Amino acid sequence: MDSPRVSTAAIRWFARYNRHYLARHFAGVRVAGLEALTPALVDDPAPLVVYMNHAAWWDPLVGTLLATGPFAARSHRAVIDARALERYALLERLGFVGLDRQGADGARSLLRLVDTLAVVKRSTLWLTPQGRFTDPRIRPIELERGLGHIARRLPDARFLPIAIEYPMGGERLPEVRVRIGEPELPGSLAGTAQGSPVAAAPVASAAVLTARFATRLTALSDRLADDVMHDRQAGYATLLSGRHGVGAVYDLGRRIRARITGRAFDARHGGNLPTR
C-alpha cells in the first residue's frame, strides 16, 4: 500500500468545514494533556503514532480537528476500514488510508504503509487499534496486535495515546472530552512488568508491546472517565466552542429576562439562572 496522494487545498477546506460541523453537533470540544504536545514533539522529524480508543463514528472528525490544530505542522495519515473509505471517497485526499482488516493482506498493507511513512519527515499515523466501535467504559481494553508489530518496525517513533468520550452534560448537545497521554518510545515498553532496565530497541514481542499499549490507554481512559463522571473542568482547554441553549422560543425568553435584569445573556443551559 502506497501513501495516498493528499490535497493541501482539500485539507484546508475540510478543516474549516469540520470545525463548523462539530460546532453544530456538540456543545464543545475540551482537551486535557495539550502540554504533552511540546514543540520538540511536534517538530520532531521522527514518526509519531497516535493510537486512540474507538468510541464513536465521530472519532475521525475529532482526530482531524487535532491534526489540523495542535498537530498542524506534521504530515498525517489515518487508517480506516476500506469499506468506509469506499463510502467517503473524499477522505483519501485528506490522508485517510483504507485497510481491509480481514486476513493477512491487510496486515501486510499496513506494514508497507508504515515503511513508507518511516522515511517521511514529521509523519504521523493515526490508529484506532480496537478495530471496532467499543463503549469507552468497557474493560479490559483490547487492541489488535498490529500495533505491536508497528512498534517493532518503528523503534524510533513516539507512540501517543489519546482517550475520547462523548458525554451528555448540562446542555442539549453532548460535548467531546479528550485526554492526551504521554508519548513513549517502544524501547521504554520493552522491559519486564517489574520495570527492569530496557534496551534501546524494542525486544519484546508484538503481543507484549500491544498489551502494554493497552495498559497505558486503559489508564488514560480511566482518568478521563473519572473526570467526566465528576464533571471536572480543571486542566481542560476548550479547543472548539459549539452550540448552547435549548431552542429559539425558550432562549428568546431567557434573552429578554437577561436584558431586563441587566445581565449579559449566556446561552448555556445553566446561564442566567439566579444564584442562591
Side-chain angles (χ1 to χ4, degrees):
M1 177 191 302
D2 295 325
S3 178
R5 291 191 310 161
V6 300
S7 167
T8 302
I11 291 173
R12 285 198 299 264
W13 171 83
F14 190 76
R16 292 192 296 270
Y17 171 79
N18 188 49
R19 289 184 63 88
H20 174 72
Y21 191 70
L22 289 173
R24 283 177 53 203
H25 290 87
F26 292 96
V29 179
R30 312 193 202 291
V31 183
L34 285 171
E35 62 274 8
L37 308 183
T38 62
L41 177 68
V42 174
D43 296 334
D44 189 347
L48 176 68
V49 178
V50 178
Y51 60 104
M52 306 160 51
N53 66 313
H54 202 7
W57 177 89
W58 294 97
D59 296 343
L61 300 185
V62 176
T64 298
L65 182 68
L66 295 170
T68 55
F71 293 91
R74 299 189 64 86
S75 174
H76 299 275
R77 301 293 184 272
V79 171
I80 62 172
D81 185 81
R83 289 168 295 182
L85 189 62
E86 291 175 359
R87 292 194 295 270
Y88 307 105
L90 171 65
L91 295 180
E92 189 170 4
R93 304 306 303 275
L94 303 175
F96 286 81
V97 181
L99 179 70
D100 183 359
R101 297 182 181 275
Q102 306 300 320
D105 287 344
R108 285 193 291 266
S109 295
L110 176 59
L111 293 179
R112 285 197 298 271
L113 172 65
V114 169
D115 290 342
T116 299
L117 297 182
V119 297
V120 176
K121 188 177 181 181
R122 291 195 298 274
S123 65
T124 304
L125 180 62
W126 294 74
L127 302 169
T128 51
Q130 285 178 294
R132 64 186 186 279
F133 296 131
T134 305
D135 187 281
R137 305 294 175 87
I138 287 179
R139 299 293 182 269
I141 289 180
E142 297 180 348
L143 306 181
E144 295 178 338
R145 192 174 297 185
L147 184 59
H149 286 293
I150 293 173
R152 289 178 62 86
R153 216 168 186 99
L154 295 176
D156 296 327
R158 301 278 180 178
F159 283 72
L160 182 72
I162 293 182
I164 301 179
E165 284 201 22
Y166 302 90
M168 292 295 302
E171 297 297 324
R172 177 172 60 91
L173 296 176
E175 69 173 13
V176 182
R177 282 286 195 109
V178 180
R179 180 166 279 280
I180 300 172
E182 292 292 330
E184 295 181 285
L185 288 167
S188 67
L189 305 175
T192 66
Q194 286 72 34
S196 63
V198 298
V203 295
S205 68
V208 169
L209 287 169
T210 301
R212 291 181 182 162
F213 285 128
T215 297
R216 278 149 182 78
L217 185 56
T218 298
L220 190 68
S221 299
D222 286 347
R223 187 176 178 187
L224 175 61
D226 193 62
D227 287 345
V228 170
M229 286 188 291
H230 295 91
D231 194 28
R232 294 193 186 96
Q233 302 290 333
Y236 285 84
T238 300
L239 202 62
L240 179 68
S241 184
R243 286 188 172 183
H244 296 280
V246 177
V249 174
Y250 181 79
D251 285 344
L252 176 60
R254 295 170 65 216
R255 286 180 185 275
I256 294 173
R257 180 179 180 182
R259 178 169 294 184
I260 292 173
T261 57
R263 294 196 302 269
F265 175 68
D266 185 348
R268 293 174 299 174
H269 182 59
N272 299 127
L273 296 178
T275 57
R276 296 181 178 179

